[in-house]
Amino acid sequence: MRAAYAEFGGELLGFAHNALGDHQLAEEVVQEVFLRAWRASDSFDSSRGTPRTWLYAIARNVIVDARRRREARPPAARAEEAGREGAGADADPYDRLLARIELREALDRLRPEHREVVIEVYFLGRSCADLAGELGIPASSARSRLYHGIRALRGILDENGWLAP
């Protein structure tokens, strides 16, 4: 379970946060996913899927349960909770750190030539033309790498549930 948590915990947190829009509830969901997985570990069948797909199936069920519990609460409690969450979301350094970690992991999954152009242009503010000259490639190739790199990055972030809803 420790290895599975280390490998998939961040992904599942992003997936749950994207589905629920509540970081604390998403953390509770991830805890419940691994608790259920541990309790039902003897029911895992590797011939039917990978541990990742099994954990995501459990997560979908836990998210549905969490939504139902949240909807069962009185509207006043939900409004109060939303006000607290909205007030502290911008100031939480842990959320910013988590976002940086998630972005770094997503960038690491890009092809090296795409990662280099995305980092240089988006994060370091360089132009495609300048970068192309330095790399010895046409400017159109740099723009193409940037386009495909951003497209792949968006896909990775979306797949892991790390894009904001």
Side-chain angles (χ1 to χ4, degrees), residues 31-50:
Q31 289 177 353
E32 181 66 21
V33 166
F34 283 97
L35 181 63
R36 288 185 187 184
W38 178 66
R39 288 179 178 160
S41 60
D42 56 335
S43 70
F44 173 70
D45 182 5
S46 62
S47 67
R48 294 181 59 203
T50 65

Side-chain angles (χ1 to χ4, degrees), residues 2-164:
R2 286 182 191 189
Y5 182 79
E7 189 170 352
F8 306 116
E11 282 182 46
L12 289 169
L13 180 62
F15 177 70
H17 185 267
N18 191 34
L20 298 167
D22 180 340
H23 189 75
Q24 289 178 336
L25 187 56
E27 288 177 345
E28 291 174 22
V29 163
V30 172
Q31 289 177 353
E32 181 66 21
V33 166
F34 283 97
L35 181 63
R36 288 185 187 184
W38 178 66
R39 288 179 178 160
S41 60
D42 56 335
S43 70
F44 173 70
D45 182 5
S46 62
S47 67
R48 294 181 59 203
T50 65
R52 183 176 188 264
T53 57
W54 183 60
L55 289 169
Y56 271 86
I58 295 170
R60 280 189 293 276
N61 293 332
V62 175
I63 288 169
V64 168
D65 293 345
R67 281 184 181 148
R68 287 180 182 153
R69 278 193 312 273
R70 184 171 57 188
E71 295 302 317
R73 282 188 256 155
R78 286 196 305 269
E80 204 175 282
E81 188 176 277
R84 278 195 314 267
E85 185 178 306
D90 294 332
D92 190 359
Y94 296 108
D95 284 342
R96 288 193 307 262
L97 176 62
L98 180 61
R100 285 183 178 174
I101 291 169
E102 291 168 347
L103 181 59
R104 181 74 238 176
E105 288 178 9
L107 285 166
D108 287 344
R109 291 177 54 190
L110 292 177
R111 292 175 47 187
E113 60 271 14
H114 292 158
R115 179 176 46 249
E116 179 180 27
V117 174
V118 169
I119 290 172
E120 291 289 333
V121 172
Y122 273 93
F123 298 106
L124 300 179
R126 299 192 56 198
S127 71
C128 283
D130 290 341
L131 185 59
E134 183 180 306
L135 296 175
I137 61 173
S140 60
S141 295
R143 286 190 302 273
S144 177
R145 288 180 184 183
L146 179 63
Y147 170 79
H148 290 291
I150 292 298
R151 190 170 172 201
L153 185 62
R154 179 175 292 280
I156 292 166
L157 293 170
D158 189 40
E159 169 188 307
N160 292 335
W162 294 338
L163 284 180

